[in-house]
Amino acid sequence: MSVRLLFATVALCLGVIATPAHAKRGIGIINTGDELFEVAPFPAEVIAAIPQVKDLKVGYKCSHFGIFWADVWTWDCELVGVENENTYTSLPDELRTKLSADPQYAYSHAKRGLWNHYGFWAVVGAVVVFLGIGALSGRKASTDSAAA
């Protein structure tokens, strides 16, 4: 019982005092901030009309909350022009409306890493396994002491 209480206390303290890691930077259990996801290159007709976007890709800028850099919750996503993983350009409303109507640029096509997309469930699974092992070893120890 005391090992589980110690683990819970340490985990709670780390969760409370950990500094946020913004946009995949920093060291901490909890990370928040804006995150960019590339989707696809701009259509040829947009590049012809606006040559400045030829080096950009259509993407999403989202606010997010994560644990160990795995997204737990993502919200407030908007279409932007993505230059690299840290730099984006806002798009005019009419262009954003045009691109959002095209299914090729849907958020479901955003390029997210495997850990970013499914890492939260891996962490949840690891915690469940750890707690299960702790419960089984605690039950075995109490059974051994009762038999003695």
Side-chain angles (χ1 to χ4, degrees), residues 5 11 29 35 37 43 64 69 79-80 91 108 110 128-130 140:
L5 181 60
I29 294 173
E35 192 165 19
F37 303 108
H64 78 108
W69 297 274
L79 274 170
V80 295
L91 301 176
S108 60
V128 166
V129 167
F130 180 76
K140 182 181 178 200

Side-chain angles (χ1 to χ4, degrees), residues 3-4 22-23 27 36 77 131 141:
V3 173
R4 281 187 253 155
H22 297 283
I27 297 173
L36 300 174
C77 296
L131 292 175

Side-chain angles (χ1 to χ4, degrees), residues 74-124:
T74 304
W75 71 96
D76 195 25
C77 296
E78 69 173 291
L79 274 170
V80 295
V82 177
E83 185 174 333
N84 59 44
E85 66 179 29
N86 297 317
T87 308
Y88 72 94
T89 301
S90 294
L91 301 176
D93 289 338
E94 56 274 357
L95 179 57
R96 203 171 336 141
T97 303
K98 176 185 176 186
L99 293 174
S100 63
D102 188 341
Q104 176 184 355
Y105 300 109
Y107 179 74
S108 60
H109 295 290
K111 293 178 176 85
R112 299 173 64 183
L114 187 64
W115 179 255
N116 180 280
H117 197 51
Y118 300 108
F120 171 69
W121 296 111
V123 170
V124 168

